[in-house]
């Protein structure tokens, strides 16, 4: 039974031309079977009668008779499968309008014939000269909708004036003076325009995705800044709370010490007063006893003419002030001043820690160094020598006692530190790429320099044009330089004391910035130490 079922498989009853179950199967002399219409159309097209399967040539077209056995078996197969479309046809496919019982998927639609054709039935349109001039398109439904309702001609032209599709007759009648172009030309133009719009839309999508990435990155940076600022705020306010608590403890201790001193002083005064009271009481008794003496001679002889009372202290100017007279306002004023200094120090310290995260590795550029400058091999140290080196006088080289860093910056933030300990003169800051490097040039923002300097061992100035005298609490040994390019900021810090030295704000940077250094001349050995990049 299994063998019998295998013999009745649908695959054994497919026409090799249409690939569908036989319809009116006929057998050619070589023994192969085909649908009557399929082999007939095949031989109508071919010059010679050849079997499509084995390629056997027949001298004349054989007479074809239906193979009744195969026909009945094919009909049974169709009844079992219950379908009429060829295998492989998908729902929604446009079907051939010529196929009868087994309609195959159309390969093309003809706008002239207003019909859709499968590969087999499309063959005449490829072979016959008249049919080859027909307009073939990808298979579509409702071909009638592609005809002009007025002239029943294909809509092959486009009126750009009225923005409608028209046929050839409409083009020379109703739209005679209008701008008429072939449908394909308008299609290509519109397609190109559509492609351009699609490109613009894609560009807008990319820009918005980039904006999303920027916003997400900004949110991430903002979150990191918020976390850092929270930690710094906790640190600052904890330090302030500790400072207030320390001041309170000191205040309470001082009050207690003052009260103790007051009590001890009062106790001493009381002891002295009690001793004087005892002496005065004794003297009072003596005087009372004398006043009761009735002997006139003895009374006069015993009367105290010179010192009726024992010597005592003058207590009118002596007093003990109560501790309540020590007001809290003085202490609060002192605390406010202390806290103000502490807040400033803590804030600068926190700010310095924040900018130090932008630290960069800066090295000196020997091609910009003045011939008298001596640079270390690692590009981290520079000092001024007494002998001029034989180096090329290239345009980048300074004729003054200066050198730039190799690294340039045209965006973002950066920070670096320079050790200046032991020097009596130096210049530090940043310089624009286009600064004048030949001859003497005043260091100021107008000339592309944002710098500070030291002169005479203790005279600090910010070269703001005019320069500003800087009164520093201590002499910096390490100077930190921070630049925010987009923010237009240049800050100078005493890196050890965590104090702000000077700040340039509102700077308008328009070119590359380079770290700028000048160790200044050695001044007879008094300024012979090197500037050292940390």
């Amino acid at each position: 039974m299994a063998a019998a079922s295998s013999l009745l498989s649908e695959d054994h009853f497919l026409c090799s031309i249409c690939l569908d179950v036989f319809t009116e199967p006929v057998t050619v002399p070589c023994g192969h079977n085909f649908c009557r219409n399929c082999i007939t159309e095949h031989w109508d097209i071919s010059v010679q009668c050849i079997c499509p399967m084995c390629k056997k040539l027949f001298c004349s077209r054989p007479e074809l008779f239906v193979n009744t056995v195969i026909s009945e078996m094919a009909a049974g197969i169709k009844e079992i499968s219950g379908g009429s479309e060829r295998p492989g046809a998908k729902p929604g496919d446009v079907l051939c309008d010529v196929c009868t019982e087994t309609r195959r998927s159309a390969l093309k639609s003809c706008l002239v014939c207003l019909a859709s054709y499968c590969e087999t039935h499309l063959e005449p349109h490829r072979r016959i000269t008249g049919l080859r001039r027909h307009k073939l398109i990808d298979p579509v439904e409702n071909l009638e909708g592609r005809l002009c309702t007025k002239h029943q001609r294909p809509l092959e032209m486009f009126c750009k004036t009225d923005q409608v599709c028209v046929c050839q007759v409409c083009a020379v009648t109703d739209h005679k003076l209008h701008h008429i172009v072939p449908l394909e030309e308008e299609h290509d133009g519109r397609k190109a325009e559509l492609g351009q719009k699609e490109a613009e839309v894609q560009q807008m999508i990319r820009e918005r995705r980039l904006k999303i990435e920027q916003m997400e990155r900004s949110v991430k940076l903002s979150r990191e800044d918020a976390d850092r600022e929270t930690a710094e705020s906790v640190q600052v306010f904890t330090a302030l709370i500790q400072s207030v608590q320390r001041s309170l403890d000191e205040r309470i201790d001082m009050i207690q010490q003052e009260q103790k001193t007051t009590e001890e002083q009062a106790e001493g005064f009381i002891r002295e007063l009690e001793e004087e009271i005892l002496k005065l009481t004794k003297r009072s008794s003596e005087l009372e006893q004398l006043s009761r003496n009735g002997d006139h001679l003895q009374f006069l002889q015993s009367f105290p003419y010179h010192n009726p009372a024992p010597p005592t202290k003058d207590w009118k100017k002596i007093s003990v002030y109560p501790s309540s007279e020590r007001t809290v306002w003085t202490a609060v004023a002192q605390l406010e001043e202390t806290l103000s200094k502490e807040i400033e120090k803590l804030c600068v310290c926190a700010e310095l820690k924040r900018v130090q995260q932008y630290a960069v590795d800066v090295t000196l550029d020997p091609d910009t160094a003045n011939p008298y400058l001596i640079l270390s091999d690692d590009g981290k140290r520079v000092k001024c020598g007494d002998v001029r080196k034989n180096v090329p006088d290239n345009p980048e080289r300074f004729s003054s006692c200066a050198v730039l860093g190799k690294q340039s910056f045209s965006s973002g933030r950066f920070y670096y530190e320079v050790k200046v300990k032991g020097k009596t003169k130096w210049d530090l800051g940043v310089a624009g790429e286009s600064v004048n490097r030949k001859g003497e040039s005043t260091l100021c923002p107008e000339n592309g320099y944002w710098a500070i300097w030291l002169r005479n061992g203790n005279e600090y100035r910010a070269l703001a044009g005019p320069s500003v005298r800087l009164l520093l609490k201590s002499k910096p040994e390490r100077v930190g330089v921070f630049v925010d390019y987009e923010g237009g900021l240049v800050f100078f810090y005493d890196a050890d004391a965590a104090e702000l030295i000077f700040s340039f704000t509102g700077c308008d940077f328009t070119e590359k910035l380079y770290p700028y250094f000048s160790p200044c001349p050695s001044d007879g050995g008094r300024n012979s130490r090197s500037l050292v990049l940390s």
Side-chain angles (χ1 to χ4, degrees), residues 27-297:
T27 304
V28 297
C30 62
H32 293 110
N33 298 293
F34 305 95
C35 297
R36 178 192 290 276
N37 287 338
C38 292
I39 192 63
T40 301
E41 291 177 0
H42 179 73
W43 284 343
D44 288 341
I45 297 172
S46 301
V47 178
Q48 296 176 318
C49 293
I50 301 176
C51 175
M53 292 290 292
C54 64
K55 307 301 181 184
K56 181 176 178 59
L57 177 62
F58 305 113
C59 296
S60 60
R61 177 179 293 194
E63 187 176 357
L64 301 176
F65 299 94
V66 175
N67 188 323
T68 56
V69 175
I70 295 179
S71 178
E72 291 174 358
M73 297 180 71
I77 291 295
K78 289 182 179 180
E79 184 177 355
I80 293 172
S81 63
S84 62
E85 294 183 2
R86 72 175 180 89
K90 300 178 182 179
D93 282 356
V94 177
L95 301 180
C96 177
D97 293 322
V98 180
C99 293
T100 55
E101 295 184 5
T102 304
R103 300 186 64 188
R104 289 168 283 180
S105 296
L107 183 64
K108 292 289 183 180
S109 294
C110 179
L111 294 177
V112 179
C113 302
L114 294 180
S116 298
Y117 301 102
C118 64
E119 185 173 5
T120 301
H121 296 119
L122 184 65
E123 193 277 336
H125 280 76
R126 294 172 173 169
R127 177 174 53 86
I128 301 174
T129 303
L131 297 179
R132 271 190 283 180
R133 290 195 293 268
H134 288 192
K135 180 65 176 178
L136 297 177
I137 60 173
D138 290 335
V140 293
E141 298 281 3
N142 189 26
L143 286 169
E144 291 79 4
R146 295 175 175 269
L147 290 179
C148 175
T149 55
K150 183 176 181 180
H151 305 104
Q152 296 300 310
R153 297 287 298 273
L155 298 172
E156 299 177 309
M157 309 299 288
F158 184 81
C159 176
K160 297 179 72 69
T161 304
D162 294 336
Q163 294 291 302
V164 294
C165 297
V166 298
C167 68
Q168 293 282 4
V169 178
C170 291
V172 296
T173 55
D174 301 339
H175 301 265
K176 182 177 181 180
L177 300 178
H178 293 181
H179 185 191
I180 307 295
V181 297
L183 208 60
E184 293 83 350
E185 180 180 332
E186 183 65 18
H187 167 268
D188 294 343
R190 293 286 181 93
K191 191 172 183 180
E193 181 181 347
L194 191 65
Q196 183 178 357
K197 291 183 178 179
E198 174 65 16
E200 293 175 355
V201 171
Q202 291 298 325
Q203 179 62 25
M204 294 172 65
I205 292 173
R206 286 192 293 270
E207 290 174 353
R208 279 150 181 77
R209 285 176 176 170
L210 181 60
K211 179 61 69 174
I212 290 175
E213 292 177 2
Q214 292 174 348
M215 290 182 176
E216 290 176 344
R217 187 162 54 250
S218 297
V219 170
K220 181 181 177 182
L221 293 175
S222 177
R223 187 181 299 111
E224 293 174 354
D225 288 342
D227 293 341
R228 183 174 57 254
E229 290 177 6
T230 299
E232 292 173 355
S233 299
V234 170
Q235 179 183 2
V236 169
F237 279 88
T238 300
L240 291 176
I241 292 171
Q242 292 173 349
S243 179
V244 171
Q245 185 63 49
R246 187 166 55 251
S247 298
L248 177 60
D249 294 340
E250 292 173 354
R251 177 65 178 167
I252 293 174
D253 184 64
M254 183 186 68
I255 293 172
Q256 292 175 347
Q257 288 294 332
E258 290 179 353
Q259 178 62 26
K260 183 179 178 180
T261 301
T262 301
E263 291 177 358
E264 291 176 350
Q265 185 183 36
E267 289 174 359
F269 289 156
I270 291 171
R271 282 194 300 269
E272 289 185 40
L273 288 169
E274 288 176 345
E275 291 175 359
E276 290 186 1
I277 289 172
L278 289 175
K279 292 179 181 180
L280 292 172
T281 301
K282 182 179 178 181
R283 188 61 171 168
S284 176
S285 297
E286 292 176 352
L287 293 175
E288 183 180 358
Q289 185 178 0
L290 180 61
S291 66
R292 288 197 299 267
N293 191 344
D295 189 338
H296 297 159
L297 178 61

Side-chain angles (χ1 to χ4, degrees), residues 442-451 463-465 504 507:
T442 302
L443 302 186
C444 63
E446 288 74 14
N447 293 335
Y449 294 92
W450 292 265
L463 308 177
F504 290 92
C507 307

Side-chain angles (χ1 to χ4, degrees), residues 229-450:
E229 290 177 6
T230 299
E232 292 173 355
S233 299
V234 170
Q235 179 183 2
V236 169
F237 279 88
T238 300
L240 291 176
I241 292 171
Q242 292 173 349
S243 179
V244 171
Q245 185 63 49
R246 187 166 55 251
S247 298
L248 177 60
D249 294 340
E250 292 173 354
R251 177 65 178 167
I252 293 174
D253 184 64
M254 183 186 68
I255 293 172
Q256 292 175 347
Q257 288 294 332
E258 290 179 353
Q259 178 62 26
K260 183 179 178 180
T261 301
T262 301
E263 291 177 358
E264 291 176 350
Q265 185 183 36
E267 289 174 359
F269 289 156
I270 291 171
R271 282 194 300 269
E272 289 185 40
L273 288 169
E274 288 176 345
E275 291 175 359
E276 290 186 1
I277 289 172
L278 289 175
K279 292 179 181 180
L280 292 172
T281 301
K282 182 179 178 181
R283 188 61 171 168
S284 176
S285 297
E286 292 176 352
L287 293 175
E288 183 180 358
Q289 185 178 0
L290 180 61
S291 66
R292 288 197 299 267
N293 191 344
D295 189 338
H296 297 159
L297 178 61
Q298 188 179 8
F299 175 83
L300 293 174
Q301 289 177 344
S302 303
F303 189 83
Y305 290 102
H306 302 292
N307 190 14
T312 57
K313 185 183 293 187
D314 184 6
W315 292 96
K316 293 180 180 179
K317 296 181 180 181
I318 298 175
S319 63
V320 176
Y321 293 98
S323 59
S324 60
E325 294 183 6
R326 295 186 296 269
T327 63
V328 74
W329 303 115
T330 302
V332 170
Q334 293 175 350
L335 178 61
E336 183 178 4
E337 182 179 357
T338 301
L339 287 179
S340 178
K341 295 179 180 178
E342 190 72 16
I343 289 172
E344 181 180 359
K345 182 177 180 180
L346 289 172
C347 289
V348 173
C349 184
E351 179 69 15
L352 180 58
K353 288 182 179 180
R354 184 181 70 83
V355 302
Q356 283 176 336
Q357 69 177 324
Y358 300 104
V360 294
D361 185 20
V362 176
T363 54
L364 302 170
D365 185 0
D367 292 336
T368 66
N370 178 274
Y372 283 94
L373 295 185
I374 302 173
L375 277 62
S376 61
D377 293 338
D378 61 359
K380 292 292 186 178
R381 308 168 72 93
V382 59
K383 65 179 180 179
C384 188
D386 298 325
V387 179
R388 178 184 175 90
K389 291 182 292 186
N390 186 19
V391 292
D393 187 19
N394 50 287
E396 297 82 12
R397 194 176 304 282
F398 281 89
S399 61
S400 59
C401 187
V403 62
L404 297 181
K406 283 185 178 180
Q407 294 73 22
S408 65
F409 305 90
S410 56
S411 64
R413 302 168 180 175
F414 62 94
Y415 172 87
Y416 62 91
E417 291 181 357
V418 185
K419 184 178 179 182
V420 297
K421 183 179 180 180
K423 293 191 65 63
T424 59
K425 297 179 181 179
W426 48 257
D427 303 348
L428 290 177
V430 291
E433 184 178 28
S434 63
V435 294
N436 180 22
R437 307 186 188 191
K438 305 300 180 182
E440 295 296 328
S441 179
T442 302
L443 302 186
C444 63
E446 288 74 14
N447 293 335
Y449 294 92
W450 292 265

